[in-house]
Amino acid sequence: MELTPTMILNLALLIVPPVALVLAFWQRLARHIRWTVALTALCDVLLFWDELFYYESFGLFAVLILVQLAATGAAAFHIYNKQRKD
């Protein structure tokens, strides 16, 4: 399987927003870092609106989004719990 420019762009769009959101909230609003999961989901829907309802890519899109949200949620709640203990 060959990596196409579209696949690389989609990969970047799946990685950059959650990382940027977690880092921004971690630095500025650590108490509200739990919101990064919801904001990541909103970013995904806005960025991938056309792929969301395309019947051939819906299953792959759903799996990638669920994995991304699980990873973002784990990072956010880890940081939130760590911040609460301090």
Side-chain angles (χ1 to χ4, degrees):
M1 185 166 104
E2 181 181 336
L3 283 177
T4 64
T6 303
M7 290 173 71
I8 294 170
L9 175 65
N10 286 343
L11 180 63
L13 289 175
L14 282 170
I15 293 172
V16 172
V19 170
L21 283 170
V22 168
L23 290 176
F25 270 76
W26 188 19
Q27 295 297 321
R28 304 271 188 228
L29 303 165
R31 290 187 339 223
H32 304 289
I33 198 162
R34 295 169 293 173
W35 285 98
T36 57
V37 178
L39 291 173
T40 299
L42 180 64
C43 287
D44 289 339
V45 169
L46 294 175
L47 289 171
F48 296 105
W49 184 256
D50 54 342
E51 284 98 0
L52 186 60
F53 297 108
Y54 186 63
Y55 70 95
E56 288 181 352
S57 64
F58 181 76
L60 179 61
F61 178 78
V63 169
L64 288 174
I65 296 303
L66 288 175
V67 168
Q68 179 195 38
L69 291 176
T72 305
F77 282 103
H78 174 73
I79 292 169
Y80 178 74
N81 288 334
K82 190 177 189 182
Q83 191 261 344
R84 274 185 45 192
K85 289 179 183 178
D86 293 339

